[in-house]
Amino acid sequence: MPVNQDVIITCALTGAGDTVGRSPHVPVTPAQIAASAVEAAGAGAAVVHIHVREPETGAPSRDPRLYREVVERIRETGTDVVINLTAGMGGDLVIDPEAPLRQLPGTDLVGGLDRLPHVEDLLPDICTLDCGSLNFGDGSNLYVSTPDMLRTGAKRIQELGVRPELEIFDTGQLWFAKQLLAEGLLDDPTVFQLCMGIPWGAPADPGVLQAMVTMLPQGAQWASFALGRMQMPWVAQSILLGGHVRVGLEDNLYLGKGVKATNGQLVERAVRITESLGSRVATPDEAREELGLRPRA
């Protein structure tokens, strides 16, 4: 497959993981998240992927008011960047292994439509759609996104005119995303994010990525990322297979061994890798055109 000559860089700013206490650079408050988005855009990110957190605790949140504050703060700066809001929150199920019908603390499980109020409110350029359920790490944590939930969510996102970014954590999820396309619940161009190295989904293995790329529907736009120390090698891996890239503190806290990164520094590193491969970094307007998004308002 050809090397991608025009690379869209996404920066995943904060995520929902237990990372706040592990790095002082993980943004927590809406003001911090917005400032980090502006920093990432200035460094070369065309897209920012946004989660929100409870300002007092750093815990993950799906409060629409927090999303609104982040987006408004970004827009008030005049920064040109594509807004990508997660719609994956609300799928967490922690069960008691001795009594599996009993839910444990950490569970936040709602239906497909209940994961979308902030998307309905803000109508971002992009929102994510996590395309299946997964044993999420060791222990008894599950991420739940059933076929019925996905059909309901995909239909509503389509009605809103928002572009879904299809989050793919394993090959079966890619198979089902293609089924959504066949059922008319997705519009072209489809946009895929191939998520590698999340236990226990698809491993960060170049052969597995190659297989997933081969499975993509014709004309699909795609990016890929991997966790931790594999983040930067995966920038090159994705570009070499014809894809776009994602970096950011959601997936990796370090610039090098023992060196804590900012989102801006991670984007700068991705820009250098992209350009060293002979490719160029796409602007936000070029990303909008490539991904089939509305022009900037």
Side-chain angles (χ1 to χ4, degrees):
M1 295 192 180
V3 173
N4 187 4
Q5 297 298 317
D6 296 289
V7 177
I8 299 168
I9 298 177
T10 293
C11 185
L13 301 171
T14 187
D18 185 20
T19 54
V20 171
R22 294 165 53 198
S23 171
H25 303 305
V26 175
V28 173
T29 68
Q32 291 169 347
I33 295 168
S36 201
V38 172
E39 176 198 21
V47 182
V48 287
H49 174 58
I50 298 170
H51 287 248
V52 294
R53 295 177 179 269
E54 294 294 339
E56 299 302 321
T57 66
S61 174
R62 49 187 175 86
D63 185 340
R65 294 171 299 177
L66 296 174
Y67 282 103
R68 173 165 284 281
E69 183 178 349
V70 172
V71 171
E72 288 179 348
R73 284 177 176 272
I74 294 170
R75 289 175 174 162
E76 284 169 1
T77 69
T79 299
D80 184 13
V81 70
V82 175
I83 301 293
N84 176 337
L85 300 185
T86 185
M89 302 300 293
D92 297 316
L93 174 61
V94 186
I95 65 169
D96 183 339
E98 303 302 322
L101 293 180
R102 186 166 78 91
Q103 298 178 9
L104 297 180
T107 294
D108 179 29
L109 184 60
V110 297
L113 292 181
D114 290 329
R115 304 179 192 189
L116 296 174
H118 60 301
V119 177
E120 294 176 330
D121 177 34
L122 297 168
L123 297 178
D125 302 292
I126 301 170
C127 73
T128 62
L129 186 66
D130 292 7
C131 288
S133 301
L134 182 72
N135 286 328
F136 204 80
D138 284 329
S140 297
N141 296 4
L142 304 166
Y143 182 80
V144 178
S145 192
T146 68
D148 283 344
M149 290 175 177
L150 285 164
R151 287 186 171 97
T152 298
K155 182 179 180 181
R156 183 59 181 143
I157 293 167
Q158 187 179 54
E159 290 170 350
L160 293 170
V162 174
R163 179 71 64 196
E165 181 183 76
L166 306 166
E167 305 287 293
I168 304 296
F169 294 86
D170 215 341
T171 51
Q173 297 184 8
L174 179 48
W175 182 11
F176 185 74
K178 292 167 70 175
Q179 178 63 26
L180 292 177
L181 179 62
E183 293 176 12
L185 293 170
L186 302 173
D187 297 322
D188 288 322
T190 47
V191 177
F192 289 81
Q193 183 70 252
L194 307 179
C195 312
M196 317 295 288
I198 294 90
W200 296 105
D205 179 288
V208 175
L209 180 61
Q210 173 71 79
M212 294 172 80
V213 171
T214 301
M215 289 177 64
L216 291 169
Q218 188 170 4
Q221 292 291 325
W222 68 274
S224 181
F225 72 88
L227 298 188
R229 65 183 182 85
M230 292 301 292
Q231 183 174 82
M232 292 306 164
W234 224 251
V235 170
Q237 189 68 63
S238 296
I239 294 170
L240 292 172
L241 286 178
H244 305 292
V245 304
R246 168 172 139 174
V247 295
L249 294 175
E250 177 171 347
D251 309 316
N252 166 47
L253 300 177
Y254 293 91
L255 196 62
K257 186 175 179 62
V259 180
K260 300 286 178 65
T262 68
N263 278 311
Q265 289 171 329
L266 293 173
V267 172
E268 288 170 357
R269 179 71 58 84
V271 168
R272 289 201 296 273
I273 294 170
T274 299
E275 293 177 343
S276 72
L277 292 173
S279 299
R280 60 180 295 277
V281 175
T283 67
D285 277 341
E286 289 168 338
R288 291 184 183 97
E289 183 175 358
E290 192 82 359
L291 302 177
L293 307 178
R294 299 180 297 266
R296 187 186 187 198

